[in-house]
Amino acid sequence: MGEAPEFAMKKKFETVIKCLISKGEKEPLTGIDISEQFRPEENAPDAILRNLNAAFLIALCGRSHPLYDRADHFIREIEKDPAWKNAADFYQMGLSLVHTEIAKRSAEDKKFRENLDGLYAWISGPLSNQDPVETVDRFWNVFFPEGVSLFENRSNNIDSLRRKREVRVVRLNPEPIQDPAREILFTSNILLTINAPSKSIEDLSLSRALKEKMRQTRGERQAYWYDHPIQMGVEIDRNEAVYGIRELDQAIEFEKDRGTAEKKEKTTCVLSVSVTHPGLKDMAKDYIEEVFREAGGVRHLSIYVFSESDVLRLVSEIISPAAMKYSCGQESDLFGEIIGVDGEYGRHYSFLKAISAFWQVFMDPGIKATFKIDLDQVFPQNELVNASNNTAFEHFKTPLWGAEGEDERGKRVELGMIAGALVNQEDIGQSLFTPDVKFPGRDIDGDEWVFYSPLPQALSTEAEMMTQYTKDSIDGQTRCIQRVHVTGGTCGILVSSLRRHRPFTPCFIGRAEDQAYLLSVLFRKREGNLRYVHKDGLIMRHDKEAFADEPIKAAFTGKLIGDYVRILLFSYYAKGLPWSVESTKQSIDPFTGCFVSYIPLTVVYLRLALKGASLFRSGKNKEGFALLEMGAERLRGLIKKLTDRPDSLGEMYLKEKAVWDNFYDVLDKVEEGVKQNDPFALDLVEKAKNLVRDCKIDV
């Protein structure tokens, strides 16, 4: 009798893994001979994690690997040690989950099964060493299908993706933005943490009152972690908030000199502040006020700062009473749970969009849109004018923003969102239209055999972000490009589209919150799905290395783990949306979609293990240990949660959707009440204005 299909498939998968990391007749494809890293006699902490990681990869190779029994025994023995139990449990859990996931996918997806069969046959044959391009594509067919063939025919791939993103314009916006300085609410987020341990609080350039609060806060347990938050008391010229706001202020001055903004008008800017320690949220406004004053203030902006405490007041004193009055169905605790700025990035991202609708109803009905920038991004006004004949604000006036059209499948779309592009500071001298993400080389290494997002990211950057409208091709009048690939800054939404479609990024999203925003409403409206319009020439200069290079380098490990988390969350989130994963991927592949994997557990475990092994192979033991330690700690709980309750993210999506629907229902009711001179609505508007005035900083 022959082998059972699932057993045969398991052996083929084990052979594939063995080909990656085991030296036999052929050199391992990753360049990693994992046997060299498995030295169980060594028991230093970094050696134990290295051995655990190596044992995991050896065990994935199956019993045909000569070290299988020793590796299996090592994991089981280490699991008995309280100091290493969680890490060993993480890897032991991974062995089961990976094999189960591959077996399930093979049983359910004929194409996947055929690709795995084809990969096994290819690596078992004589040609795999002679045709490295084919070998990569066969691996990616199984693990990373979004990258297949992207190295070849670059221009054809760019043209193909551009055609996929093309929109036939049915109706331009008859009432486009006319006065951006007056009609757009600009927003950004500040990440704030305590001072560096190496710096004494007494030596910080802070007021005595803030120093005292800092002493109390330093004893608190850290609640949230961010990539490179601003440290309290950091030098002014290294302060990202000062840098970004100063540059925005200068950009508006440029607009005034050109005559595209009123000389005496101040543009409104809302800053949310996300903090690592709870005590910081009640001193954030005072701190920001102090540093902006020290930096010389601003001349052309009215700045409002919202911490978690301020948002809680907004919810409890304005939104919740209105919801009760107008029977909009949510209690304040549920509003407060979802609407805020602390925690994962999704919370502040959704808030910074939603605040513009709140502003239109309670503060200024003249606000028609919002546009978010990141504070390490600036408008290079001279280069914009030289390359596109438009300033930043003139780009915002395009009637494409708010246009209606049909996509390449004939589906109606509403281009209520807008997205620009980025150019790196070191590249802008070449051209404003220099992609900030360039095509990588063909040589891949380590974990890149199972996941290599820089390739589809570069393709998407070229095809979407770098499109220039011309009369001879896509003209920006009768045809344009819709964007799926967007960045956290350099994007906006019309308030009318926001209030009608009600997009949001769920609170559980901690990475690529910008990419997740569109997913919440991908196929919601029969009369036209909400989409981003690409505005050619609307480009911001990315100065990420100008003042935060050290914090960025320090955040390297956390960003890697965040990337793995992104695969897990996006993959399970896509399953929880009220439309098929296949439909989602058809719309968002290749870059955004590559994080929606059909085998996310397998990809994440292999990425972590192979990256860790690569670092150890390169002699970077400290970095390898840090990656595996943080990876096991952060991924273990999330994976348990997702595998125990695979539907949990779908349930959370529905819960958050209900909250945001109720939020916008409240705004509609209050607006209607104001028109009818309802005393309750009028009183609520006054309370809201007083609350918001408290958030304004005096600089």
Side-chain angles (χ1 to χ4, degrees):
M1 294 180 63
E3 294 177 332
E6 62 270 18
F7 183 72
M9 193 58 66
K10 180 174 182 289
K11 289 180 67 175
K12 291 176 181 178
F13 177 75
E14 290 171 346
T15 302
V16 166
I17 301 302
K18 193 174 179 180
C19 178
L20 287 174
I21 46 89
S22 181
K23 189 173 183 178
E25 294 179 3
K26 302 175 182 178
E27 290 294 318
L29 291 174
T30 61
I32 302 166
D33 183 0
I34 202 63
S35 298
E36 295 178 351
Q37 296 189 20
F38 184 57
R39 302 190 293 274
E41 68 279 3
E42 298 178 5
N43 57 11
D46 61 338
I48 289 177
L49 265 184
R50 185 202 67 223
N51 285 325
L52 258 178
N53 191 65
F56 167 76
L57 288 170
I58 291 169
L60 278 182
C61 296
R63 293 186 176 279
S64 64
H65 195 289
L67 294 177
Y68 174 85
D69 288 332
R70 290 185 67 194
D72 179 67
H73 177 75
F74 180 82
I75 295 174
R76 295 179 188 279
E77 286 300 307
I78 289 295
E79 205 169 11
K80 298 174 184 177
D81 185 338
W84 299 102
K85 185 182 187 315
N86 287 344
D89 177 60
F90 168 73
Y91 281 112
Q92 191 74 275
M93 181 172 64
L95 292 172
S96 173
L97 290 174
V98 167
H99 284 304
T100 299
E101 186 174 65
I102 293 297
K104 187 172 186 293
R105 192 67 198 166
S106 298
E108 295 175 349
D109 186 339
K110 179 182 177 183
K111 185 178 180 182
F112 178 85
R113 184 169 65 251
E114 290 174 348
N115 286 335
L116 184 53
D117 282 337
L119 173 58
Y120 170 76
W122 176 258
I123 62 175
S124 301
L127 297 178
S128 58
N129 280 358
Q130 300 174 28
D131 193 343
V133 172
E134 178 72 12
T135 302
V136 168
D137 275 350
R138 285 183 178 269
F139 265 92
W140 284 356
N141 264 320
V142 174
F143 298 101
F144 188 59
E146 301 81 7
V148 173
S149 299
L150 294 191
F151 275 130
E152 289 71 53
N153 303 316
R154 182 186 301 180
S155 61
N156 289 342
N157 286 327
I158 291 171
D159 290 342
S160 177
L161 181 55
R162 199 167 278 164
R163 286 193 300 272
K164 180 180 177 181
R165 297 285 186 254
E166 191 172 321
V167 171
R168 183 178 69 86
V169 178
V170 174
R171 183 185 70 92
L172 292 169
N173 186 353
E175 297 180 350
I177 296 293
Q178 294 294 321
D179 184 358
R182 175 75 180 78
E183 296 174 345
I184 297 178
L185 183 75
F186 288 87
T187 66
S188 193
N189 179 248
I190 294 174
L191 304 170
L192 194 61
T193 190
I194 58 176
N195 60 297
S198 59
K199 294 188 176 181
S200 165
I201 292 177
E202 261 324 300
D203 295 335
L204 299 179
S205 180
L206 298 173
S207 66
R208 186 172 300 278
L210 279 180
K211 287 179 180 179
E212 184 55 39
K213 290 180 180 178
M214 276 291 296
R215 289 189 183 90
Q216 299 171 19
T217 302
R218 279 197 64 84
E220 292 181 341
R221 184 173 182 176
Q222 186 165 340
Y224 306 111
W225 283 258
Y226 304 119
D227 283 350
H228 47 92
I230 298 168
Q231 296 174 343
M232 293 275 286
V234 69
E235 297 83 354
I236 289 295
D237 61 351
R238 307 287 290 176
N239 189 305
E240 185 175 343
V242 170
Y243 186 90
I245 294 301
R246 179 188 283 157
E247 290 286 345
L248 179 60
D249 198 54
Q250 292 174 0
I252 295 171
E253 183 174 21
F254 187 99
E255 299 285 352
K256 291 182 176 181
D257 291 342
R258 188 174 168 90
T260 52
E262 291 291 331
K263 285 285 187 181
K264 295 182 179 180
E265 189 76 46
K266 284 198 172 186
T267 297
T268 304
C269 179
V270 168
L271 300 175
S272 61
V273 185
S274 305
V275 300
T276 58
H277 295 67
L280 293 177
K281 62 178 178 282
D282 292 326
M283 52 203 282
K285 177 176 177 285
D286 291 340
Y287 168 70
I288 293 168
E289 203 165 52
E290 280 190 17
V291 295
F292 282 1
R293 284 176 181 169
E294 185 180 347
V298 294
R299 297 173 56 200
H300 310 291
L301 290 167
S302 293
I303 300 175
Y304 298 81
V305 175
F306 285 83
S307 69
E308 183 77 11
S309 298
D310 299 313
V311 179
L312 183 60
R313 282 189 62 201
L314 181 151
V315 165
S316 61
E317 297 179 24
I318 308 299
I319 302 301
S320 291
M324 294 180 65
K325 169 70 175 179
Y326 298 118
S327 301
C328 293
Q330 292 291 346
E331 299 297 332
S332 59
D333 58 341
L334 201 50
F335 277 119
E337 179 185 336
I338 305 304
I339 303 174
V341 297
D342 281 346
E344 300 291 2
Y345 286 30
R347 289 189 90 229
H348 80 249
Y349 195 84
S350 294
F351 171 79
L352 287 177
K353 294 291 190 290
I355 191 63
S356 63
F358 178 91
W359 215 270
Q360 185 183 70
V361 172
F362 288 97
M363 301 298 298
D364 181 0
I367 290 295
K368 294 183 177 179
T370 183
F371 191 83
K372 180 179 179 291
I373 65 170
D374 285 344
L375 292 171
D376 58 356
Q377 299 170 2
V378 306
F379 291 114
Q381 296 282 38
N382 286 313
E383 288 87 351
L384 286 176
V385 172
N386 291 336
S388 68
N389 296 318
N390 286 305
T391 65
F393 282 16
E394 287 169 330
H395 279 295
F396 292 136
K397 296 181 180 182
T398 174
L400 286 175
W401 191 5
E404 296 176 3
E406 291 182 352
D407 65 18
E408 51 98 24
R409 289 180 290 171
K411 301 293 184 182
R412 199 80 166 181
V413 295
E414 177 185 322
L415 300 172
M417 298 191 286
I418 193 171
L422 298 175
V423 59
N424 289 326
Q425 185 179 31
E426 63 269 23
D427 296 330
I428 197 169
Q430 302 174 34
S431 167
L432 186 69
F433 293 92
T434 305
D436 69 316
V437 176
K438 298 173 179 61
F439 273 87
R442 285 177 173 271
D443 294 333
I444 63 170
D445 183 47
D447 62 314
E448 294 166 354
W449 281 88
V450 296
F451 194 89
Y452 195 38
S453 61
L455 185 56
Q457 183 179 14
L459 172 65
S460 181
T461 299
E462 289 270 14
E464 296 185 39
M465 293 185 170
M466 292 294 107
T467 297
Q468 296 185 58
Y469 298 141
T470 66
K471 293 180 180 179
D472 298 328
S473 58
I474 303 173
D475 59 13
Q477 294 180 330
T478 63
R479 290 181 297 160
C480 65
I481 293 291
Q482 62 164 302
R483 290 275 296 279
V484 171
H485 179 192
V486 299
T487 59
T490 323
C491 59
I493 184 170
L494 295 174
V495 176
S496 58
S497 296
L498 175 65
R499 294 177 64 178
R500 187 162 54 253
H501 292 268
R502 305 173 175 188
F504 65 94
T505 298
C507 293
F508 54 77
I509 296 292
R511 172 93 44 193
E513 66 283 359
D514 44 5
Q515 307 284 310
Y517 192 69
L518 180 63
L519 293 182
S520 65
V521 292
L522 201 56
F523 301 116
R524 281 191 61 191
K525 290 288 182 180
R526 291 182 180 178
E527 63 269 28
N529 292 316
L530 180 64
R531 293 293 185 266
Y532 289 93
V533 67
H534 168 69
K535 180 61 184 80
D536 64 331
L538 177 57
I539 297 175
M540 297 190 75
R541 192 183 73 223
H542 198 184
D543 295 358
K544 59 183 177 181
E545 306 293 346
F547 54 90
D549 52 333
E550 291 183 11
I552 289 172
K553 291 175 183 177
F556 171 76
T557 300
K559 288 195 71 173
L560 272 180
I561 302 302
D563 215 37
Y564 308 156
V565 169
R566 176 178 175 182
I567 294 173
L568 293 170
L569 291 178
F570 270 55
S571 299
Y572 279 84
Y573 180 37
K575 293 178 185 178
L577 290 168
W579 39 82
S580 71
V581 177
E582 289 73 22
S583 296
T584 298
K585 284 186 67 62
Q586 186 178 20
S587 293
I588 67 175
D589 276 346
F591 175 56
T592 302
C594 77
F595 291 90
V596 178
S597 172
Y598 289 112
I599 49 170
L601 298 168
T602 301
V603 169
V604 166
Y605 266 104
L606 287 176
R607 283 195 74 187
L608 175 69
L610 291 173
K611 186 64 177 180
S614 293
L615 291 170
F616 285 120
R617 178 196 60 184
S618 302
K620 298 178 180 178
N621 293 354
K622 182 179 178 181
E623 292 87 343
F625 177 83
L627 177 70
L628 298 181
E629 182 183 46
M630 184 184 293
E633 181 181 347
R634 285 187 59 184
L635 295 174
R636 178 173 171 268
L638 176 60
I639 289 173
K640 278 183 174 291
K641 176 182 176 181
L642 293 175
T643 53
D644 287 347
R645 293 188 57 218
D647 298 331
S648 61
L649 298 193
E651 294 168 359
M652 292 173 70
Y653 162 79
L654 292 175
K655 174 182 174 181
E656 295 193 29
K657 178 182 178 298
V659 170
W660 284 113
D661 281 345
N662 289 324
F663 173 84
Y664 290 108
D665 286 345
V666 165
L667 299 188
D668 291 345
K669 294 290 187 181
V670 172
E671 187 176 59
E672 183 182 339
V674 170
K675 290 177 181 177
Q676 296 175 356
N677 289 317
D678 172 29
F680 177 83
L682 294 172
D683 181 60
L684 207 60
V685 167
E686 274 308 304
K687 287 182 179 178
K689 287 182 176 179
N690 289 331
L691 187 155
V692 170
R693 287 192 194 102
D694 288 344
C695 297
K696 186 176 182 180
I697 62 173
D698 180 13
V699 289

